[in-house]
Amino acid sequence: MNYSYSSLSTGGGGSGPGAVDHNRCCGNRAWCVKDICGIVCVVMTWLLILFAEFVVMRLILLPSNYTVFSTLNMIVFQALAFLAFASHIRTMLSDPGAVPRGNATKEMIEQMGYREGQMFYKCPKCCSIKPDRAHHCSVCQRCIRKMDHHCPWVNNCVGENNQKYFVLFTFYIASISVHTLFLVLTQFAECVKNDWRTCSPYSPPATIFLLLFLTFEGLMFGIFTIIMLATQLTAILNDQTGIEQLKKEEARWAKKSRLKSIQSVFGRFSLAWFSPFTEPSSCRTKFHSHFYSV
């Protein structure tokens, strides 16, 4: 574990430079991890979504002679693609639950109600008071509350504040992958039944290449995101993060029921569960507010 055991009498580090604007962009309005590997993965994700968009629309749906089939699938595909892209952006640009760096000062500790000699967790890497279930991320260079893992595909940690958006991202990518595989199969059947030269605006070799690459992409993304979605939902229902499962940590917290665990991530059940534009209602106590980024 990345923490040290300290007491009030030892004091703490000051708030170092960059405590406010570290991992921030757009004038401190958005969270943005400045990691080259993560940025490359994000661009690759967007390009793969755009490739699927191009092949599905240009090769499968727009040239189709079945107007109703084409229109309905176009609406479904575009809706899933939009929601997947929005969920990805929201996961990437949301503060995952970063603890302010350098907040382990004597004044802050006293403000939080610790008594002289009382013990608390202090992260030696970012000099912060470490809340229960927080872990230090070496990429974000911050302690993250209820950190599940750092995902390069969204260039961010998955934590207390953005886990909903990450779950939605995996859900919509898995859905669009399954839908894409269905459309590819129908297109293959159409081309085999009729003529490869007339079933596509491109030459037969180009059509086969595009369909095969899209099939590979659909299978790869579909399998990966379905596994990730199942892993995330299992962790949420068990009220245990991925890091806690990996390290086999014993629960030092009062575990919630499955219903309360789901509600802590998504809020009370409504259609807003499936929207990347709504935040689940959360109640922050005065004590916990000291652990939120400033």
Side-chain angles (χ1 to χ4, degrees):
M1 272 191 166
N2 296 321
Y3 60 76
S4 62
Y5 215 33
S6 305
S7 66
L8 174 57
S9 58
T10 62
S15 56
V20 174
D21 60 355
H22 180 70
N23 284 344
R24 292 280 178 176
C25 58
C26 301
N28 271 353
R29 288 189 297 271
W31 177 267
C32 181
V33 179
K34 302 171 181 66
D35 176 57
I36 297 299
C37 176
I39 293 172
V40 170
C41 289
V42 165
V43 173
M44 285 180 59
T45 302
W46 291 348
L47 290 177
L48 288 169
I49 293 176
L50 289 175
F51 173 79
E53 179 87 20
F54 167 76
V55 177
V56 167
M57 297 300 297
R58 186 72 181 89
L59 192 148
I60 300 176
L61 295 180
L62 289 177
S64 176
N65 295 322
Y66 306 100
T67 306
V68 175
F69 173 85
S70 177
T71 303
L72 289 177
N73 281 282
M74 200 179 301
I75 293 172
V76 172
F77 184 85
Q78 293 298 340
L80 291 175
F82 173 74
L83 290 169
F85 185 76
S87 300
H88 185 269
I89 292 291
R90 197 72 192 270
T91 307
M92 180 176 65
L93 298 182
S94 293
D95 183 341
V99 179
R101 294 195 305 172
N103 72 339
T105 62
K106 185 172 183 178
E107 293 77 13
M108 180 63 73
I109 296 166
E110 290 175 343
Q111 187 178 353
M112 294 176 66
Y114 286 105
R115 298 182 301 274
E116 182 74 22
Q118 187 174 353
M119 309 302 286
F120 62 91
Y121 292 136
K122 172 184 173 184
C123 178
K125 296 182 179 180
C126 57
C127 195
S128 65
I129 302 170
K130 197 164 188 177
D132 194 23
R133 305 185 70 182
H135 293 271
H136 185 87
C137 175
S138 59
V139 180
C140 296
Q141 300 178 27
R142 299 285 284 273
C143 283
I144 308 297
R145 300 188 309 278
K146 287 186 68 176
M147 176 181 169
D148 187 87
H149 69 289
H150 184 93
C151 179
W153 296 105
V154 297
N155 191 32
N156 202 359
C157 275
V158 178
E160 185 176 84
N161 287 356
N162 66 347
Q163 189 172 26
K164 171 191 173 180
Y165 311 127
F166 182 75
V167 171
L168 289 180
F169 170 65
T170 58
F171 172 73
Y172 287 123
I173 289 294
S175 300
I176 202 175
S177 298
V178 172
H179 187 222
T180 297
L181 291 173
F182 165 75
L183 293 175
V184 168
L185 288 175
T186 58
Q187 186 66 18
F188 265 120
E190 182 69 18
C191 290
V192 170
K193 179 181 176 182
N194 298 312
D195 189 345
W196 282 93
R197 290 170 296 182
T198 59
C199 73
S200 165
Y202 302 101
S203 65
T207 300
I208 293 174
F209 172 78
L210 291 172
L211 290 177
L212 286 179
F213 192 88
L214 185 60
T215 301
F216 172 76
E217 180 187 344
L219 286 172
M220 180 182 69
F221 268 78
I223 293 172
F224 175 76
T225 52
I226 287 173
I227 293 174
M228 183 58 70
L229 176 62
T231 302
Q232 286 290 300
L233 292 177
T234 300
I236 292 172
L237 290 172
N238 292 333
D239 192 18
Q240 193 173 31
T241 67
I243 289 181
E244 290 164 352
Q245 289 179 334
L246 186 64
K247 292 186 175 182
K248 299 180 179 178
E249 294 184 8
E250 292 185 8
R252 301 181 306 276
W253 59 94
K255 279 199 170 187
K256 307 182 187 75
S257 65
R258 293 193 171 187
L259 178 60
K260 292 294 184 182
S261 297
I262 285 286
Q263 289 179 343
S264 69
V265 175
F266 294 96
R268 292 186 178 275
F269 179 75
S270 69
L271 289 178
W273 273 24
F274 303 95
S275 171
F277 303 103
T278 59
E279 296 181 358
S281 57
S282 60
C283 180
R284 297 179 180 181
T285 63
K286 183 177 178 181
F287 177 82
H288 286 146
S289 66
H290 296 294
F291 290 139
Y292 284 75
S293 298
V294 293

